[in-house]
Amino acid sequence: MSQNKNGIFVQIDYWLLDNVFQPITNRLPGEKSNLRLGMNLMLGSVIFSFAFLLMPLFFFDIGFFSSTYNLLSCVMVICFYMYVHRNQSLVREGFVNPLRYFLSGIRIISIPFTLYGIYVWMTSVGMMGRFTMLYSISNILSVCGLYFISCNVNPPKKKEEQKIVFAENPFS
């Protein structure tokens, strides 16, 4: 008997990639529009991460040293964004996307963190709920961006040839 050597998380990852995000990518107009959409979602994640960093600093007078974790997470998000931006030139139309495999571990890990962030946001109240909402939005944008970046780029659709039909003039 052969056993499936992929874990359940890998199967869920590939199912999401192939059955949820790839059909959306196939319907997007333009060349490499999934990469542009994914990069824009990742940039939105960076912006919400900065908002998550800066809000406690302004509202509670917390110093940068006290929010070292938030600062380091923002630096990591920026570094990851720059890595993906630099490597998107590897993606070619009609070929398997190499970022699909490069980013598989990050996609698998980011889903539980996103679900946990949403849980924390839903259970928190007051001002802390607003802070965690920014963190949850950042995680959601990051996960969606990762999946869109990991989708295969299909070659552009061929334009249908326009048939010119000459009709006889019925009035002559």
Side-chain angles (χ1 to χ4, degrees), residues 39-110:
M39 291 305 294
N40 287 334
L41 289 172
M42 293 292 293
L43 184 61
S45 173
V46 170
I47 291 169
F48 277 100
S49 293
F50 272 125
F52 178 69
L53 168 70
L54 294 177
M55 281 184 70
L57 295 175
F58 290 127
F59 287 115
F60 299 121
D61 283 334
I62 297 174
F64 275 110
F65 185 74
S66 298
S67 58
T68 305
Y69 172 77
N70 294 346
L71 183 64
L72 290 177
S73 67
C74 284
V75 169
M76 290 301 294
V77 168
I78 291 170
C79 290
F80 182 72
Y81 175 80
M82 291 173 22
Y83 165 79
V84 173
H85 182 70
R86 189 180 63 183
N87 288 325
Q88 69 181 343
S89 63
L90 297 173
V91 179
R92 295 186 301 171
E93 298 166 348
F95 292 95
V96 176
N97 187 349
L99 296 176
R100 177 182 178 106
Y101 302 107
F102 293 165
L103 302 175
S104 63
I106 295 171
R107 286 192 316 262
I108 292 169
I109 288 174
S110 64

Side-chain angles (χ1 to χ4, degrees), residues 13 16 106-116 143 147:
D13 175 54
L16 281 172
I106 295 171
R107 286 192 316 262
I108 292 169
I109 288 174
S110 64
I111 291 174
F113 279 111
T114 301
L115 294 175
Y116 177 71
V143 167
Y147 275 98

Side-chain angles (χ1 to χ4, degrees), residues 101-144:
Y101 302 107
F102 293 165
L103 302 175
S104 63
I106 295 171
R107 286 192 316 262
I108 292 169
I109 288 174
S110 64
I111 291 174
F113 279 111
T114 301
L115 294 175
Y116 177 71
I118 292 171
Y119 169 75
V120 169
W121 169 43
M122 293 296 180
T123 57
S124 60
V125 293
M127 187 62 78
M128 193 55 68
R130 290 189 179 103
F131 296 152
T132 56
M133 178 185 68
L134 292 174
Y135 183 69
S136 296
I137 291 172
S138 174
N139 284 339
I140 291 168
L141 291 176
S142 177
V143 167
C144 291

